């Protein structure tokens, strides 16, 4: 992760704030780091485009473009949008009036005002890369995902593909990397910013260990820069495009686009305070569908998180580990005669207590890790969480159906069945806790610790479910459970809970 720090809008924002661009970037990049830490997001490297290693990579990349003969100097004019740092065609503009009532042109997509700009710039021969880009996409139909965005890029390649301005006059833009051997020009901020994907993996010397086996995760508003300009620039510099570009849509608020003027911008810091880190993460990943915009409002968060984390998952853990039902506080033993592998097994005749729905649950949970893994790899996290939530509901149904609290422990046969019910339930919870670690790390850790699952036993690669059902030993059976840490996830909505969360945040 990191921050893209050059460009005219940064230069103007710093001037308006009465500070230098470098000081502004130092402060703002610190806020981004802080937000990622607060949200429990880890990263292997936080790159800043103002860093020397990045500037060196950009200069080398520019040299490769120049040596490849794809740059030329020419006069360029058009409507420039400073907040978006791009020239926009007439088809993407609309007529509006500014704050003083004067007519002006704005971007249809963002509403930002544009200004007519005429400069002498370096141009990139984008038009020469139509065929190579079309061939790349035809040969790699999953290079851009989800499919609607892949189709959009194909349509762009069928339209007019004008050459791209890749520098600005330095007299207008000082906050950026100068064009090598031409101090009158500054490298276009998007060319500069995109090269961060290379500089962070050691370009120009050691990037081969990673490149091109990389996946970019980008918002749909910057699709053209990532899926059209960036692959063309890479091909021109003698490099392959990235393996995949994963594109996500936006969050609206009650059906409206987030806007400072409307005052409906959601502050993630406030949300973390209200819902907890895990609650907020769970909602965003459970409801965020990459291919279309998703709607956000507080009541929706409360309802979903209470239902699935607090009640379904938390309630199941509390009921299945309660002292009244598991006084020894151990991982109970599984009885194969009570829950035989084959429904009509003669050996289990008379002792089998499992029903057809129970076998459906076991089959469903057994297939869940591979299913979740596939959805995670396919950038469909919401589908993975939907599958987990359905299994949690099924497990609650299993527990409720057999009413272990009604069984008589003094009867040996009843005790065997009680232990088997609890064993199956805890095995299901162990699978859910393991699979939920990337989404709700704190809650998953709390759940797994309660089940006495050690740090070395939490990997997806080592996740085996209900080993005893398959006649294999279960390492957890008979193990003392971890200490009771109370409620797994506090329900949202009560004022004291919200107050407590804000204090914690």
């Amino acid at each position: 992760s990191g921050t893209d720090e050059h460009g005219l809008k940064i230069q103007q924002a710093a001037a308006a704030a009465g500070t230098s661009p470098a000081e502004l970037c130092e402060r703002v990049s610190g806020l981004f780091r802080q937000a990622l830490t607060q949200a429990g997001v880890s990263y292997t490297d936080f790159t800043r485009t103002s860093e020397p290693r990045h500037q060196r990579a950009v200069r080398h990349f520019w040299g490769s473009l120049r040596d490849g003969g794809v740059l030329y100097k020419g006069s360029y004019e058009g409507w420039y949008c400073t907040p978006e740092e791009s020239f926009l065609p007439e088809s993407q503009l609309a007529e509006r009036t500014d704050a003083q009532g004067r007519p002006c042109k704005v971007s249809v997509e963002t509403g930002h005002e544009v200004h007519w700009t005429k400069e002498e710039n370096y141009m990139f021969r984008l038009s020469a890369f139509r065929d190579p880009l079309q061939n790349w996409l035809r040969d790699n139909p999953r290079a851009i995902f989800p499919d609607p965005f892949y189709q959009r890029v194909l349509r762009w390649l069928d339209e007019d593909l004008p050459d791209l301005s890749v520098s600005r006059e330095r007299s207008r833009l000082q906050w950026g990397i100068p064009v090598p051997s031409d101090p009158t020009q500054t490298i276009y901020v998007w060319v500069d910013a995109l090269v961060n994907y290379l500089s962070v993996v050691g370009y120009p010397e050691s990037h081969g260990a990673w490149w091109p086996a990389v996946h970019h995760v980008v918002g749909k508003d910057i699709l053209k820069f990532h899926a059209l300009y960036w692959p063309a620039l890479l091909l021109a510099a003698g490099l392959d495009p990235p393996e995949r570009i994963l594109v996500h849509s936006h969050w609206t608020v009650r059906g409206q686009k987030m806007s400072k003027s409307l005052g409906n911008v959601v502050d993630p810091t406030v949300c973390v305070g209200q819902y907890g880190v895990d609650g907020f993460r769970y909602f965003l990943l459970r409801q965020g569908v990459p291919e279309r915009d998703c709607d956000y409002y507080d009541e929706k968060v409360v309802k979903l998180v209470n239902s699935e984390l607090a009640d379904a998952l938390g309630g199941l853990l509390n009921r299945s580990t309660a002292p009244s039902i598991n006084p020894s506080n151990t991982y109970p033993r599984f009885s194969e005669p009570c829950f035989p592998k084959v429904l009509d097994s003669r050996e289990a005749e008379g002792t089998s207590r499992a029903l057809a729905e129970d076998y459906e649950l076991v089959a469903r949970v057994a297939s869940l890790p591979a299913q979740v893994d596939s959805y995670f790899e396919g950038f469909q996290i919401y589908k993975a969480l939907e599958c987990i939530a359905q299994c949690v509901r099924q497990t609650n149904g299993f527990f409720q159906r057999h009413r272990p609290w009604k069984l008589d422990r003094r009867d040996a046969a009843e005790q065997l069945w009680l232990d088997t019910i609890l064993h199956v339930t805890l095995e299901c919870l162990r699978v859910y806790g393991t699979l939920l670690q990337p989404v709700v790390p704190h809650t998953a850790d709390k759940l797994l610790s309660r089940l006495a699952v050690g740090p070395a036993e939490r990997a997806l690669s080592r996740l085996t479910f209900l080993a005893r059902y398959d006649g294999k030993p279960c390492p957890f059976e008979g193990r003392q459970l971890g200490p009771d840490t109370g409620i797994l996830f506090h329900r949202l909505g009560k004022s004291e809970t919200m107050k407590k969360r804000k204090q914690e945040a």
Side-chain angles (χ1 to χ4, degrees):
S1 191
T3 43
D4 159 22
E5 300 186 3
H6 290 136
L8 192 59
K9 66 179 176 183
I10 307 290
Q11 182 175 297
Q12 291 177 348
T19 186
S20 70
E23 288 169 332
L24 177 72
C25 291
E26 181 69 29
R27 182 177 65 80
V28 175
S29 69
L31 293 175
F32 274 96
R33 280 181 195 258
Q34 188 181 322
L36 291 174
T37 301
Q38 189 180 31
V41 177
S42 60
Y43 46 84
T44 50
D45 199 312
F46 190 95
T47 183
R48 298 179 58 192
T49 60
S50 58
E51 292 174 340
R53 62 169 176 168
H54 173 73
Q55 298 190 30
R56 179 174 164 269
V58 171
R59 287 192 290 270
H60 190 277
F61 189 82
W62 182 275
S64 297
L65 296 178
R66 182 192 58 219
D67 296 345
V70 294
L71 300 179
Y72 64 93
K73 212 165 188 182
S75 181
Y76 192 85
E77 56 184 310
W79 294 103
Y80 194 77
C81 179
T82 299
E84 296 173 48
E85 295 286 13
S86 65
F87 284 97
L88 299 178
E90 286 279 355
S91 59
Q92 292 178 24
L93 303 178
E95 297 282 350
R96 294 281 189 276
T97 52
D98 64 17
Q100 284 74 42
R102 296 171 301 205
C104 66
K105 286 185 182 286
V106 300
S107 163
V108 171
E109 173 71 20
T110 64
H112 293 135
E113 192 172 346
V114 297
H115 300 279
W116 188 259
T117 305
K118 184 175 182 179
E119 289 184 354
E120 187 177 51
N121 299 144
Y122 282 96
M123 306 294 292
F124 169 64
R125 297 186 195 278
L126 180 64
S127 53
F129 288 87
R130 185 193 305 275
D131 289 346
L133 289 172
Q134 286 176 329
N135 292 338
W136 164 60
L137 289 175
R138 270 197 291 268
D139 293 343
N140 300 277
R142 288 177 64 78
I144 300 165
F145 183 85
D147 186 65
F149 299 113
Y150 172 80
Q151 298 298 336
R152 187 181 299 178
V153 177
L154 285 178
R155 286 196 299 273
W156 283 337
L157 286 168
D158 285 334
E159 297 168 4
D160 187 32
L161 205 63
D163 287 352
L164 182 67
S165 168
V166 289
S167 72
R168 304 294 313 275
E169 287 181 356
R170 196 143 185 91
S171 58
R172 294 183 193 228
L173 176 62
Q174 297 84 44
W175 182 240
I177 302 170
V179 168
S181 73
D182 189 347
T184 69
Q185 296 280 312
T186 299
I187 295 174
Y188 176 43
V189 64
W190 267 105
V191 175
D192 166 357
L194 288 163
V195 174
N196 94 84
Y197 295 118
L198 287 172
S199 60
V200 80
V201 291
Y203 179 84
E205 290 88 16
S206 54
H207 60 286
W210 281 92
W211 201 270
V214 296
H215 292 189
H216 297 339
V217 182
V218 304
K220 67 174 186 178
D221 53 323
I222 49 176
L223 177 62
K224 185 170 278 188
F225 297 98
H226 281 84
L228 207 62
Y229 303 158
W230 180 225
L233 288 162
L234 286 164
L235 290 168
L239 295 164
D240 289 326
E243 188 174 291
R244 290 194 88 187
I245 299 168
L246 303 165
V247 189
H248 62 79
S249 297
H250 292 167
W251 283 96
T252 57
V253 176
R254 297 189 182 276
Q256 289 185 302
K257 189 170 182 174
M258 283 194 215
S259 154
K260 286 180 183 175
S261 58
L262 290 174
N264 67 346
V265 175
V266 176
D267 184 341
T269 306
V270 173
C271 292
V272 167
Q274 286 180 316
Y275 313 125
V277 176
D278 282 5
F280 191 44
R281 285 168 64 108
Y282 186 79
F283 173 80
L284 294 177
L285 292 168
R286 174 79 167 89
Q287 294 285 294
V289 180
E291 52 262 49
R292 64 176 181 272
D293 288 353
C294 300
D295 205 36
Y296 176 96
Y297 50 93
D298 293 330
E299 298 89 338
K300 194 176 182 181
V301 185
V302 171
K303 186 177 179 182
L304 177 85
V305 173
N306 280 349
S307 167
E308 296 189 359
L309 282 188
D311 298 344
L313 188 66
L316 184 63
L317 178 67
N318 287 341
R319 294 201 306 170
S320 58
T321 57
S324 58
I325 206 162
N326 185 358
S328 64
N329 196 42
T330 56
Y331 212 100
R333 298 188 179 281
F334 180 85
S335 168
E336 283 143 318
C338 287
F339 206 130
K341 180 78 186 257
V342 185
L343 250 174
D344 60 356
S345 169
R346 289 183 184 178
E347 294 171 26
E349 215 168 289
T351 60
S352 174
R353 306 284 290 264
L355 304 174
E357 301 99 307
D358 306 334
Y359 285 92
E360 286 172 18
L361 169 68
V362 167
R364 186 88 184 269
V365 179
S367 66
L368 187 64
Q371 195 175 29
V372 167
D373 187 38
S374 173
Y375 281 138
F376 275 6
E377 285 296 318
F379 197 53
Q380 294 178 304
I381 299 167
Y382 71 102
K383 286 190 177 180
L385 296 184
E386 189 177 351
C387 290
I388 295 171
Q390 286 170 351
C391 284
V392 173
R393 281 196 293 273
Q394 266 186 279
T395 314
N396 271 297
F398 165 77
F399 196 83
Q400 189 68 29
R401 185 161 57 245
H402 294 295
R403 303 187 173 200
W405 58 90
K406 293 276 191 184
L407 298 173
D408 185 358
R409 278 198 200 84
R410 291 167 297 184
D411 183 318
E414 295 277 275
Q415 180 68 58
L416 282 176
W417 179 227
L418 169 62
D419 285 349
T420 302
I421 293 168
L422 294 180
H423 182 95
V424 171
T425 303
L426 297 194
E427 279 289 274
C428 290
L429 281 166
R430 184 172 62 83
V431 169
Y432 308 148
T434 304
L435 297 176
L436 285 169
Q437 287 175 108
V439 179
V440 285
H442 306 295
T443 303
D445 173 60
K446 199 173 177 183
L447 191 160
L448 294 172
S449 297
R450 180 71 176 106
L451 299 182
V453 181
E457 299 170 316
R458 299 182 179 189
L460 182 65
S461 58
R462 298 188 59 185
L463 185 56
T464 52
F465 168 65
L466 210 59
R468 283 291 305 277
Y469 178 71
D470 291 311
K472 297 170 185 172
C474 171
F476 303 98
E477 198 172 58
R479 187 183 293 187
Q480 194 71 25
L481 294 179
D484 182 2
T485 53
I487 295 170
L488 179 68
F489 192 94
H490 288 272
R491 294 188 97 252
L492 304 175
K494 292 181 180 177
S495 57
E496 60 268 23
T497 304
M498 291 296 195
K499 187 177 179 183
K500 179 175 176 287
R501 288 197 183 282
K502 281 179 182 174
Q503 286 171 343
E504 287 173 352

